Amino acid sequence: MASNRFLRPLLYISGASVVGGGILYAIYKPRNIPGMDRAQVPPPTYGPGGVFHPPKFPLVKTRDEQIADLKRSASSNFASRASSFLGFGKSSENQKATEDEPYDLLVIGGGATGAGIAVDAATRGLRVAMVEREDFSSGTSSKSTKLVHGGVRYLEKAFKDLDYNQYKLVTEALRERRYFLDTAPHLSQWLPIMIPVDKWWKAPYYWAGTKVYDLLAGSENIESSYFLTRSKALDAYPMLRKDKLFGALVYYDGAHNDSRMNVALAMTSALYGVTVVNHAQVTALEKDSSGKLNGARVKDMLPEKGGETSNEFSVRARGVINATGPFTDSIRKLDEPNVQEIVAPSSGVHVILPGYFSPSNMGLIDPSTSDGRVIFFLPWQGNTIAGTTDAPTKIEQNPAAGEEEINWILREIQNYLAPEINVRRGDVLAAWSGIRPLVRDPNAKSTEGLVRNHLVTFSESGLLTISGGKWTTYRQMAEEAVDAALDTFKLEPSAIKDPARVSGTDVTDSSATLDGTCQTHAVKLVGAHGFSKTLFINLIQHFGLETDVAKHLTTAYGDRAWTVAALCGPTERRFPVRGQRLSTLYPFVDGEVRYAVRHEYANTAVDVVARRTRLAFLNAQAALEALPDIIDLMGAELNWNRERRETEWKDTVAFLKSMGLPEKKLALTRKEVEEGRVGKYEDDEFGMYARHGE
């Protein structure tokens, strides 16, 4: 009896210790954080004596060569093979694809989903073409909240509404979040996000929710969520208002540079053999005598910008995939004019504020705004991004953010910032509206009730359409689309025996077998192989770049930063030695413009100012001030005449209007901008500061 009296408490204590130790281990165990490993490919200055050996990165075909390949697909010998298309028979086994053969797949749309499909199909050994009417990520894919996330609000809805589709979306996105960070560590990173708690009883509710979020991520999770007391929350986020603050929960999600990620996907696919052409519009879908799709008519849009006549040509393919996001129904109507629309467009407005409104390493989510929506407040590229709204909208290429939506965001921000911090309309550096391509649910009462699940459909003629979804799940969407295409179009994937040397060396993705199955969870994108957190130091020591410029280049281009830095012009100063800034406010430099033209298919000034660099998204007026230099740099590369440069000026200023450029600045001429008149026009910003001793 006496022994039991001592033994039982001992067993209880031991059991509690084991359970507690297991919990502590799960929280604090060593984790493999993406981007923290040493680079697969060491820097070219690595080795005895630090002798520089310039990296020899593979080159993509020129745009003219890519268009020539598109045209060859419609050569006369196509007709003799037409019976093998669209389910009427398999293509000849082990037949080597040649440039004058039809493509296995023609992908329409160069956004996240289209570029993801191109990478997936190409790494399965298929012959692929991808055409985009505007530019890679010119639509929704460049106008996101910049998060790579499972969606805490979807998780809450899943449990509240017992909605399995919402739950499935979260679990799928959490898995894809890790793949995202692994395949492009230079373009994405982990970001702690704070949930302020104003009442004590909300703390256990949010704690439980964030822990379920961690649990669903499983082994793919990186950092565990945690609770902060009031004082610790204010220390981490000093801009918060102190009254009614009980504490805060912090959980982890990913953040990324969306358009740079999209461009990386497109360039990776090009290195794997995809024919990639932007500024090429599909004007019609073509069918054979039995009514089955066998290609499309494509119009090269660039000659018109130079005052020339654009030409149309046919592109032949065994299968056609429609991945055009908000414009999905316009392509479907080329196939069936009376088809019922399936996309319910929703506007998501974001505003950019100066970086001093948020800590550089902590985001914030307000889960209970005045109308029940969720708003994010996140550090991004040195500034602060706030959004988003959620309202039905019409579909257009470059929608502008409305004043009502902008002011709603500013009011909501003011509610959780300290009262002495005033958020003014003039503080808004840029604002834009992105169109979410939500899949229409006839039973939904509002667009907020629409889940961004994706949908794969087929028309009678064989058009494969993938719609809906979100950035985080682009890879899964691409995999499902290619799987469906293989089955429907009777295509045979094949192993790639000599894969593209994307790294510029003999180093390949050892975990990606490229045996004809989907391997995009392991295929690293352009720039990833030689990236490390310390790469910027090597760039500084070799090229004499400023620290913030070197850090920017490595996180925007990965190992390709070596090429970008080499293309930077000399400053003729003691230091920095290279890198002429496009704007004194941001670390974008001249070498990026040259690199974008030579290696990333940048063909217009908007391509550079908005999607190769992010200047237009960070500060519309700074983008206007940098525009003359950008046009001149591109003009020198592309031999633009005076008329083309004037066209680029007008087109880019019109685009900047959609990015929040004030109305009074739209009429400024290039000469006035070069004379510094951008900052001399009185507007919301001009009157905010004390000038001339006031």
Side-chain angles (χ1 to χ4, degrees), residues 1 86 97 100 121 157 159 162 294 300 311 316 343 392 398 409 442 485 492 496 554 558 650 685:
M1 293 291 292
L86 295 161
D100 63 346
K157 288 182 180 180
F159 282 93
L162 298 178
N294 61 13
D300 182 4
N311 61 336
R316 291 287 184 258
V343 172
N398 292 312
I409 293 174
E492 293 185 356
I496 300 178
T554 55
K650 294 176 182 178
E685 181 185 22

Side-chain angles (χ1 to χ4, degrees), residues 613-630:
T613 71
R614 306 312 309 274
L615 191 52
F617 281 81
L618 291 169
N619 192 320
Q621 295 194 58
L624 180 63
E625 290 172 322
L627 187 54
D629 288 340
I630 291 173

Side-chain angles (χ1 to χ4, degrees), residues 40-41 272 499-503 505-512 514 529:
Q40 282 185 284
V41 178
Y272 276 98
R501 296 296 190 264
V502 178
S503 69
T505 68
D506 290 333
V507 174
T508 58
D509 302 325
S510 58
S511 57
L514 301 184
H529 297 84

Side-chain angles (χ1 to χ4, degrees), residues 540-541 543-547 571-578:
I540 295 171
Q541 292 179 334
F543 291 106
L545 300 173
E546 293 176 273
T547 300
T571 64
E572 307 300 341
R573 290 184 287 167
R574 184 186 66 80
F575 196 88
V577 178
R578 285 178 182 255

Side-chain angles (χ1 to χ4, degrees), residues 176-402:
E176 293 300 317
R177 182 183 67 177
R178 180 55 188 256
Y179 294 154
F180 205 114
L181 297 166
D182 283 339
T183 56
H186 55 304
L187 293 168
S188 51
Q189 61 280 326
W190 286 93
L191 178 68
I193 300 177
M194 180 182 291
I195 307 174
V197 178
D198 59 349
K199 300 183 183 302
W200 70 265
W201 56 265
K202 291 184 180 180
Y205 176 78
Y206 289 131
W207 182 89
T210 56
K211 288 303 176 185
V212 171
Y213 199 64
D214 294 342
L215 182 64
L216 291 179
S219 61
E220 308 298 343
N221 199 30
I222 296 296
E223 297 285 353
S224 296
S225 57
Y226 57 90
F227 176 77
L228 289 176
T229 62
R230 180 177 182 272
S231 61
K232 291 291 185 181
L234 290 171
D235 182 55
Y237 213 114
M239 301 83 177
L240 286 177
R241 62 186 310 143
K242 299 177 177 62
D243 59 318
K244 298 182 180 179
L245 181 66
F246 173 77
L249 267 299
V250 177
Y251 71 98
Y252 284 79
D253 255 327
H256 76 134
N257 188 337
D258 50 9
S259 73
R260 291 293 319 162
M261 179 72 178
N262 202 150
V263 171
L265 285 167
M267 293 304 101
T268 302
S269 73
L271 290 174
Y272 276 98
V274 176
T275 302
V276 175
V277 181
N278 56 352
H279 300 285
Q281 180 179 4
V282 170
T283 59
L285 298 177
E286 296 189 331
K287 302 178 181 180
D288 61 18
S289 58
S290 64
K292 297 295 181 180
L293 287 180
N294 61 13
R297 291 287 292 175
V298 175
K299 180 180 181 181
D300 182 4
M301 304 297 290
L302 285 184
E304 292 182 355
K305 288 183 173 292
E308 303 174 8
T309 302
S310 293
N311 61 336
E312 289 192 19
F313 51 89
S314 294
V315 179
R316 291 287 184 258
R318 295 177 171 86
V320 180
I321 298 181
N322 173 17
T324 52
F327 302 95
T328 290
D329 289 321
S330 64
I331 297 297
R332 293 174 70 237
K333 288 180 179 181
L334 292 179
D335 178 39
E336 300 177 51
N338 298 319
V339 70
Q340 182 180 359
E341 295 183 352
I342 63 173
V343 172
S346 170
S347 169
V349 169
H350 297 82
V351 301
I352 288 287
L353 298 167
Y356 54 71
F357 279 107
S358 68
S360 61
N361 59 349
M362 178 75 75
L364 185 143
I365 178 175
D366 181 1
S368 54
T369 60
S370 59
D371 62 0
R373 290 181 287 186
V374 169
I375 192 168
F376 287 97
F377 199 55
L378 310 168
W380 184 68
Q381 301 285 307
N383 282 357
T384 302
I385 183 172
T388 178
T389 60
D390 188 8
T393 188
K394 63 180 181 179
I395 297 175
E396 53 185 313
Q397 181 60 44
N398 292 312

Side-chain angles (χ1 to χ4, degrees), residues 69 88 101 116 207 281 328 347 356 412 452 467 476:
D69 287 346
F88 293 99
E101 283 190 327
W207 182 89
Q281 180 179 4
T328 290
S347 169
Y356 54 71
E412 295 300 325
R452 281 185 284 182
S467 53
Q476 177 67 28

